[in-house]
Amino acid sequence: MEMPRVSEETVAAVVPIAVYWAYAGVHTALGQSRLMDKYRLNTKDEEDRKNMVSKRAVILNVLMQHLMQLAALAVLAMVTGGRGATAKAAGGSPAAVYLTAAARIAVAVLVFDAYRYAWHRLAHINRFIYRHLHSWHHRIVVPYAFGAIYGHPIEVLIADTAGASLAVLVTGLSPSSPRATAVFLTLCTVKAIDNHCGVCLLPRRLQSVWNGAAYHGVHHMPRGVRYNFSDLFFVTWDHVFGTHMPYAVEERPGGDGLVLKPLPPPKATN
C-alpha cells in the first residue's frame, strides 16, 4: 500500500514546531543532569522562585501559539498560491536552486532580526504596549528553554507571526520553496531557545556579534530590562542604536555554575 505523500507546505508548518519541543526537551533533559551545571547562569532554585508564571501556564501558552502558527502558514500558503518550485520546475540546476534558497534565507534572517529589534524596543518604550502585552514575557525573570516564546497572544501575532510572514513574503521564500521556509523558521526557533535556555555555551569572542543566553539574560534582569533589545541572531542593532549593556560572566562562588553581572553602559560621547 502506497503511503500518502506529505506536501511541502505541511513540512514547512510542522517541522519548526516539532523542532521547538524536541530541542527544548533536550535542554530540559540536560538541565536535570549535572553535565551543564558549570555553564548554568541561574540555579534551579532561582528559576522556580523568581519566575511569576507557572510552567503549566507557559506550556499551554506555547501550544496555543503553535496553533496560531499553523493557521498563519495556512493563510500564507493561500496568499502565495502554495507554489513550491522544484529544481526541474524552476528550470535550474539543483545547486543553483539551493544557493538561491540559502541567499533568501539569509536575507529573511536579517529582515526578521531587524523587525524583532524594532518591535522589542518599541514594546519597552511604549508603556501601554509593555503593560498590556510585553510584560507577559517578562513574567519569566529567569529564562528556560521551553518558555522561549511565551507571551501575550496579540504580541505573538505582531512580533512573531507578522514579522516572520513579512520576511517570508519580502524574500519570496514561500513561493520558491516551502522547505526553505521550514529551514528559516527552524533556525529562528532554535535561536530563540538558545537565547532563553539559561546555559552559557557561546564562546566569549562571538558574544560581541551573536546573541546568546548570557546576552539575552541581561535583558531579563531588572537592571538590563531597557537594554539589549536584540532578540534573535545579531546584537549589532544594540551597538548601532546605543542600547547595548555590557556584562561579565563569572564563576559562581563554590564553582557551581556561573553568575551574570550587568555592567554600566558606556556613556555617550558628544
Side-chain angles (χ1 to χ4, degrees):
M1 182 178 178
E2 186 177 355
M3 295 293 291
R5 186 175 181 179
V6 179
S7 69
E8 291 188 347
E9 288 76 15
T10 301
V11 171
V14 172
V15 168
I17 294 174
V19 168
Y20 184 93
W21 291 107
Y23 193 51
V26 169
H27 270 291
T28 302
L30 289 174
Q32 303 304 316
S33 71
R34 297 194 60 84
L35 184 63
M36 294 287 106
D37 279 357
K38 63 180 179 180
Y39 305 109
R40 192 183 302 283
L41 295 168
N42 299 278
T43 65
K44 295 296 291 182
D45 175 67
E46 289 172 330
E47 183 179 305
D48 295 333
R49 175 168 46 86
K50 293 184 177 182
N51 288 334
M52 297 177 283
V53 60
S54 71
K55 291 184 177 179
R56 180 179 182 275
V58 169
I59 290 173
L60 292 175
N61 177 274
V62 173
L63 287 172
M64 178 198 63
Q65 288 193 45
H66 284 153
L67 290 175
M68 293 167 59
Q69 183 176 321
L70 289 172
L73 286 170
V75 172
L76 194 61
M78 288 189 292
V79 170
T80 60
R83 300 180 300 276
T86 62
K88 182 177 179 180
S93 66
V97 172
Y98 290 142
L99 286 173
T100 299
R104 286 176 171 169
I105 290 170
V107 175
V109 163
L110 288 173
V111 170
F112 191 36
D113 212 42
Y115 180 96
R116 286 295 299 254
Y117 173 83
W119 167 258
H120 194 189
R121 186 171 180 179
L122 175 64
H124 279 270
I125 292 174
N126 186 289
R127 292 184 179 181
F128 179 87
I129 295 176
Y130 183 83
R131 180 180 299 175
H132 295 283
L133 300 182
H134 191 61
S135 61
W136 277 45
H137 184 68
H138 281 274
R139 292 174 183 175
I140 300 180
V141 180
V142 177
Y144 51 84
F146 64 81
I149 62 172
Y150 171 79
H152 193 286
I154 294 177
E155 182 176 26
V156 171
L157 285 172
I158 298 171
D160 297 327
T161 306
S165 298
L166 174 67
V168 166
L169 290 171
V170 165
T171 56
L173 269 179
S174 189
S176 65
S177 174
R179 293 185 183 183
T181 301
V183 172
F184 163 64
L185 294 176
T186 299
L187 286 173
C188 296
T189 296
V190 168
K191 198 70 194 75
I193 293 172
D194 281 342
N195 294 350
H196 290 83
C197 68
V199 177
C200 183
L201 296 173
L202 191 66
R204 185 66 186 179
R205 63 182 178 273
L206 294 179
Q207 292 180 25
S208 61
V209 294
W210 195 246
N211 215 331
Y215 190 91
H216 193 66
V218 170
H219 176 73
H220 275 263
M221 301 174 75
R223 282 182 59 191
V225 74
R226 296 186 69 84
Y227 297 91
N228 293 12
F229 297 124
S230 296
D231 213 14
L232 279 177
F233 295 95
F234 305 105
V235 304
T236 313
W237 311 109
D238 283 309
H239 288 284
V240 170
F241 294 105
T243 53
H244 169 66
M245 173 175 275
Y247 59 91
V249 179
E250 301 176 356
E251 188 172 319
R252 188 179 295 273
D256 190 19
L258 302 170
V259 177
L260 186 59
K261 293 186 176 181
L263 303 175
K267 294 181 179 179
T269 57
N270 295 327

